[in-house]
């Protein structure tokens, strides 16, 4: 049974930071891509960042230089470090995983319940 559980969301002022965590069980890092997407009601979903099993990362342009995705294999946890947060980063953030990396993050097979990030 695959389970992804996010934590770390909250409310911060612009310029602040948060670190999202995603505890993953039921799958290993090898052979899987993991990532984050975000969604604001009434707006399109947006892939934020992804990391594949060889450690390669990619980011949407709006977060490059501010966000960093990483994996702690020993803890089976995916992270998203978010610095210099902006009001436009406000969204529900979802942790995702899939064995097929060639698709948008919001189409990944496995998804957590989401964690809200609010920047004012």
């Amino acid at each position: 049974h695959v389970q992804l559980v996010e934590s770390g969301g909250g409310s911060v002022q612009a310029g602040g930071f948060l670190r999202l965590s995603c505890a993953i069980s039921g799958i290993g890092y090898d052979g899987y891509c993991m990532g984050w997407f975000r969604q604001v009601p009434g707006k399109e979903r947006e892939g934020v960042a992804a990391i594949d099993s060889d450690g390669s990362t990619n980011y949407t342009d709006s977060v490059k230089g501010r966000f960093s995705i990483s994996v702690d294999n020993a803890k089976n946890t995916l992270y998203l470090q978010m610095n210099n947060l902006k009001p436009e980063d406000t969204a529900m953030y979802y942790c995702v995983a899939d064995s097929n990396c060639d698709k948008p993050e919001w189409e990944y097979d496995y998804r957590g319940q989401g964690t809200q990030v609010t920047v004012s």
Side-chain angles (χ1 to χ4, degrees), residues 1 9-11 17 22 24 28 32-33 37 43 47 58 64-65 69 93-94:
H1 176 65
S11 297
F17 64 92
C22 177
I24 300 175
Y32 281 85
C33 290
F37 78 91
K43 295 188 177 182
N58 64 77
K64 286 179 180 177
I69 188 171
Y93 284 72
Y94 295 89

Side-chain angles (χ1 to χ4, degrees), residues 33-49:
C33 290
M34 299 175 181
W36 299 86
F37 78 91
R38 61 190 179 186
Q39 185 165 23
V40 177
K43 295 188 177 182
E44 293 187 357
R45 292 163 293 188
E46 180 182 31
V48 176

Side-chain angles (χ1 to χ4, degrees), residues 38-117:
R38 61 190 179 186
Q39 185 165 23
V40 177
K43 295 188 177 182
E44 293 187 357
R45 292 163 293 188
E46 180 182 31
V48 176
I51 184 168
D52 63 20
S53 56
D54 67 7
S56 297
T57 59
N58 64 77
Y59 301 89
T60 192
D61 286 346
S62 64
V63 308
K64 286 179 180 177
R66 299 188 298 122
F67 290 12
S68 178
I69 188 171
S70 61
V71 173
D72 184 330
N73 290 330
K75 296 182 179 179
N76 292 326
T77 301
L78 177 71
Y79 299 101
L80 185 67
Q81 178 68 40
M82 306 186 296
N83 298 328
N84 190 22
L85 282 161
K86 303 177 180 182
E88 51 264 41
D89 295 318
T90 295
M92 183 72 78
Y93 284 72
Y94 295 89
C95 167
V96 293
D98 200 310
S99 59
N100 178 7
C101 304
D102 295 327
K103 59 173 73 170
E105 286 83 359
W106 59 84
E107 294 183 4
Y108 282 21
D109 285 347
Y110 305 110
R111 176 189 300 187
Q113 81 287 352
T115 186
Q116 178 67 37
V117 171

